Amino acid sequence: MRFQKKYLPFLILIVSSALAMSENPAFSADGKTVGMKRLLPQKVGNYKSDGKDQFYDRQTAFRYMDGAAELYRSYAFKLLMVRRYVKDGSPPIVVELFDMGSPEDAFGVFSFETEGEDPGVGQGSGYGGGLLRFWKGKYFVNVYGEQDKPPTREDVLSVGGVVAQSIKKEGQRPRLLNHLPDKGLSARSIRYFHDPHSLNHHYFLSHENILQLGEKTNAVLAVYSMPAAQGKTLLLVIEYPTRVRADSAFLNFVKAYMPEAPLTKAARIENGKWTMAQVYQKHVIVVFDAFSQKSGEALIGTTRQRLREK
Amino acid sequence: MRMRMKRVITRRDFLRGTVYAAMAGSAGFGASGQAEAGAEERVKVVLVRNENVVDREGRINPEIIQQMLDQGISTLLGEGNAAQAWRKLVKPDDIVGIKSNGWSPLPTPRELEVAIERRIRETGVPKKNVSIDDRGVLNNRVFLSSTALINVRPLRTHYWSGIGGCIKNYIMFVSTPWLYHPDACSPLATIWSKPIVKGKTRLNILSLLRTQFYGRGPHSFDRRFVSDYKGLLIGKDPVALDAVGAKLLQLQRGVYLGEDRPLDTTPRHIFAADEKYRLGVSDLRRIEVVKSGWMEGALI
């Protein structure tokens, strides 16, 4: 009898774990869900968890967010935990905690939208329309209200702040960002991604994948504000796995987008602005909407220099 | 036989204003291009709007929405009243599935579902042979044995397919929706040829009571980018409705965002539904929008 009592807690743990796994397809035996649960407190002020946590992985995320799941799947998204916090007399607050696999991809999915104010939560944040978005370490987090009458800004930021504090480990932004020239750079415009769909979301280029982007390519797109009357110029830097892949993508891009400039790789397009591209080592550098050929070439030149230095 | 080269559409086609021709060319089929457009039959869709259908608190007036629906169906089918029009669409021995949309931030309004069901029942279809469903259609007895479908959903931008409209609303008729996501969901129209739906759709309704013209946030929804347009767009051709809907969303973005901002994702599935899968007409020059009611700020 003594032997059975000794192992009873373990037996209960095994049975309850098995039950949880059978109910939740995203449950993984490596304890990831347990680790994520630890990051979200049961109570924040007068808000408390409703006790109905949900988990979704790359396959099941569609059940939760339909086609919007494709955005997260275009990064190395691993697991999503959803917890609702409730308080008497107040609309519930939803926290979505995404394990993005790496700090780089947590930053990447955060950079997809950078509108609104930055309330200083986590390693980068944005707040607007009742929605707080932030990233810290390998996690990306949404905090918002579900109902027509959203919770107060104070409550949303309070819950988000506590979650951010419970994520102890910070992470590095993608290394590729270090190669962006500083002068004129709009920091909130920086987007980091892998797939052509994200590029098109920010700057529609083509319905075909003419730059041969994919999960093994890292890309950064940023806006540069030029002196008055010159408008905005965009810089795209893509890192390919190999020089051969970079060369292939570069030639394909020039052929599809600037067929009139096979030698110069620079063209004045229909809006009167300049597009130009160069390949450097295993990178392709593209400038869109440059005010002049000279200004575009200068931006590419500085980028090449930064790539060489770092 | 002359081979047509696959045409890559780029930003430069938009700047030149040649997107439609490029889209048609890229599909690899004979384009219903400039010269041919005038010679082909035009498709009719009806836009009905009423400024009082949604009140200041966001409540939908069920009586007004019924009137709007009746007006739209009568105009579409050229009948003097709604009862006659519905009798053209549905017979008493039909088994009717009303394919709705339950996306929680912006679902098909319940008041609209009720208005449709009421008119169907009035044609003599027994209650047991009418069902409203979205995600459960593949397990729904009425839908599995249906002889007629009514397709109704709100209009919104969609992260992956450009817009969520009539064509996309049938994605729940397949068990593996994600297989239709590649290439901006361009194969969506193939779902319409599956036995469970093929040839059954009698009417398509895009609810424009509230339109989401800009997607943002975790579920591509943000209350700030939802417009009380207070309209219904009704027609028999789902492709024509979606083409007009896509144009409306683009125009609303321009008004609200203060700049000509194309949809974040080109809704290729609309063009493909026309040029490749022959489901309907996407060329706006071949679509006649008949307007009824309040038209202030209609944009289209």
Side-chain angles (χ1 to χ4, degrees):
Chain A
M1 282 300 287
R2 286 176 67 186
F3 178 84
Q4 285 178 347
K5 276 185 182 175
K6 180 181 174 184
Y7 288 100
L8 189 59
F10 297 103
L11 186 65
I12 291 170
L13 183 66
I14 291 167
V15 171
S16 60
S17 297
L19 285 171
M21 288 174 74
S22 66
E23 288 172 1
N24 192 329
F27 191 95
S28 52
D30 60 8
K32 277 185 179 171
T33 57
V34 176
M36 291 179 81
K37 278 190 171 191
R38 285 199 191 116
L39 294 175
L40 297 187
Q42 287 294 321
K43 286 186 70 177
V44 181
N46 291 325
Y47 279 93
K48 63 178 182 181
S49 166
D50 71 354
K52 299 172 185 170
D53 296 340
Q54 300 161 46
F55 288 88
Y56 301 92
D57 61 18
R58 289 181 68 83
Q59 278 68 47
T60 57
F62 293 114
R63 290 185 205 161
Y64 180 64
M65 58 177 76
D66 292 340
E70 292 287 13
L71 169 64
Y72 302 91
R73 285 165 51 90
S74 72
Y75 295 90
F77 159 60
K78 305 285 185 203
L79 197 61
L80 161 64
M81 174 180 174
V82 183
R83 174 172 287 178
R84 283 174 178 76
Y85 287 93
V86 293
K87 181 173 90 171
D88 286 346
S90 297
I93 291 178
V94 179
V95 175
E96 296 170 344
L97 178 67
F98 292 81
D99 178 347
M100 295 303 299
S102 70
E104 289 83 359
D105 276 8
F107 171 84
V109 77
F110 168 74
S111 73
F112 188 76
E113 293 174 4
T114 50
E115 297 162 6
E117 62 169 306
D118 179 359
V121 178
Q123 290 187 258
S125 59
Y127 178 84
L131 166 67
L132 168 68
R133 310 169 71 255
F134 72 88
W135 76 282
K136 186 174 182 183
K138 64 173 182 173
Y139 295 101
F140 169 74
V141 184
N142 289 310
V143 184
Y144 62 99
E146 271 186 324
Q147 298 180 358
D148 281 343
K149 186 183 171 191
T152 65
R153 176 183 183 279
E154 187 182 17
D155 283 345
V156 169
L157 294 187
S158 171
V159 171
V162 170
V163 174
Q165 282 177 5
S166 68
I167 302 170
K168 302 297 181 196
K169 194 173 176 184
E170 294 201 340
Q172 294 291 317
R173 297 196 313 169
R175 191 173 40 83
L176 196 56
L177 273 60
N178 299 335
H179 305 309
L180 294 174
D182 297 322
K183 189 180 175 185
L185 173 63
S186 169
R188 296 277 277 177
S189 76
I190 297 172
R191 322 286 183 185
Y192 177 76
F193 51 89
H194 306 287
D195 76 328
H197 194 81
S198 293
L199 171 61
N200 281 341
H201 182 86
H202 301 297
Y203 188 85
F204 176 77
L205 187 64
S206 172
H207 77 279
E208 297 287 345
N209 185 9
I210 60 177
L211 277 163
Q212 299 176 351
L213 295 167
E215 61 181 15
K216 292 191 172 151
T217 58
N218 303 315
V220 60
L221 178 73
V223 172
Y224 282 80
S225 297
M226 296 301 170
Q230 294 188 10
K232 292 175 181 173
T233 296
L234 288 94
L235 173 65
L236 175 65
V237 183
I238 307 166
E239 180 184 47
Y240 293 86
T242 63
R243 172 67 191 242
V244 172
R245 291 275 304 273
D247 282 338
S248 167
F250 175 68
L251 293 174
N252 192 59
F253 170 73
V254 173
K255 184 180 174 187
Y257 200 73
M258 302 188 294
E260 72 273 46
L263 297 176
T264 62
K265 319 295 195 267
R268 190 171 194 179
I269 66 166
E270 289 72 13
N271 61 1
K273 296 187 174 180
W274 286 82
T275 294
M276 57 203 68
Q278 284 188 23
V279 64
Y280 179 76
Q281 296 173 344
K282 59 180 183 178
H283 299 84
V284 170
I285 309 166
V286 188
V287 167
F288 297 107
D289 293 344
F291 178 70
S292 65
Q293 186 170 4
K294 191 176 172 185
S295 68
E297 284 174 349
L299 189 53
I300 286 186
T302 312
T303 309
R304 285 177 64 111
Q305 191 179 335
R306 297 290 294 255
L307 285 166
R308 200 163 36 240
E309 289 169 356
K310 300 199 175 178
Chain B
M1 192 172 75
R2 188 166 63 111
M3 291 290 287
R4 186 185 289 272
M5 293 292 288
K6 192 178 183 189
R7 173 84 161 82
V8 176
I9 300 162
T10 72
R11 183 183 196 87
R12 299 182 69 176
D13 290 301
F14 280 88
L15 294 170
R16 292 186 200 110
T18 55
V19 174
Y20 185 79
M23 283 281 187
S26 78
F29 288 81
S32 50
Q34 305 274 350
E36 299 168 43
E40 292 183 79
E41 192 179 341
R42 298 186 81 191
V43 172
K44 181 176 171 183
V45 302
V46 179
L47 172 65
V48 188
R49 293 179 74 217
N50 187 309
E51 66 179 319
N52 298 315
V53 69
V54 182
D55 71 15
R56 288 186 177 183
E57 278 72 47
R59 289 176 299 223
I60 295 169
N61 185 312
E63 291 175 10
I64 295 179
I65 205 166
Q66 184 76 69
Q67 292 165 12
M68 291 169 67
L69 179 66
D70 291 349
Q71 178 64 43
I73 303 288
S74 304
T75 305
L76 179 72
L77 299 180
E79 293 292 336
N81 62 61
Q84 289 173 338
W86 277 102
R87 279 197 291 272
K88 270 183 154 179
L89 292 173
V90 179
K91 305 298 177 198
D93 58 354
D94 270 325
I95 300 170
V96 187
I98 301 171
K99 175 60 182 68
S100 188
N101 193 289
W103 189 58
S104 58
L106 191 67
T108 304
R110 179 65 189 146
E111 296 82 355
L112 180 55
E113 293 175 342
V114 169
I116 295 167
E117 185 178 23
R118 179 182 296 119
R119 291 296 181 250
I120 290 170
R121 293 290 317 284
E122 286 171 0
T123 64
V125 179
K127 186 174 177 57
K128 68 181 176 65
N129 285 345
V130 185
S131 181
I132 304 167
D133 207 337
D134 176 19
R135 298 187 176 212
V137 291
L138 289 179
N139 297 310
N140 184 311
R141 178 191 61 80
V142 169
F143 279 84
L144 292 174
S145 58
S146 66
T147 57
L149 294 171
I150 307 295
N151 184 24
V152 54
R153 66 157 295 157
L155 173 67
R156 67 177 178 101
T157 53
H158 191 277
Y159 171 70
W160 209 247
S161 60
I163 75 156
C166 292
I167 302 169
K168 190 174 183 308
N169 204 36
Y170 276 9
I171 199 161
M172 287 302 158
F173 284 110
V174 294
S175 56
T176 52
W178 55 89
L179 295 182
Y180 295 82
H181 286 173
D183 193 22
C185 299
S186 71
L188 278 173
T190 61
I191 296 170
W192 286 64
S193 62
K194 299 211 173 284
I196 192 171
V197 294
K198 188 175 182 181
K200 294 181 182 178
T201 305
R202 308 284 172 84
L203 188 70
N204 295 279
I205 302 171
L206 266 185
S207 170
L208 311 181
L209 298 184
R210 296 189 181 97
T211 57
Q212 177 199 288
F213 55 85
Y214 185 42
R216 184 184 168 276
H219 302 265
S220 291
F221 180 79
D222 188 321
R223 297 173 188 85
R224 294 175 298 171
F225 306 121
V226 174
S227 164
D228 278 346
Y229 188 78
K230 302 177 180 178
L232 297 177
L233 194 63
I234 302 172
K236 299 190 88 168
D237 181 339
V239 185
L241 290 184
D242 282 2
V244 174
K247 181 69 178 173
L248 173 63
L249 292 178
Q250 194 164 326
L251 292 168
Q252 288 185 317
R253 290 159 72 93
V255 170
Y256 186 89
L257 302 172
E259 59 180 311
D260 186 15
R261 196 152 164 179
L263 295 166
D264 296 317
T265 301
T266 306
R268 298 195 66 208
H269 69 280
I270 301 175
F271 298 100
D274 177 354
E275 298 292 339
K276 189 169 185 180
Y277 304 113
R278 305 293 186 191
L279 181 63
V281 173
S282 66
D283 185 349
L284 292 172
R285 295 165 303 183
R286 290 183 51 209
I287 302 169
E288 178 190 10
V289 182
V290 180
K291 298 177 184 176
S292 176
W294 175 66
M295 284 298 141
E296 187 180 319
L299 299 178
I300 50 176

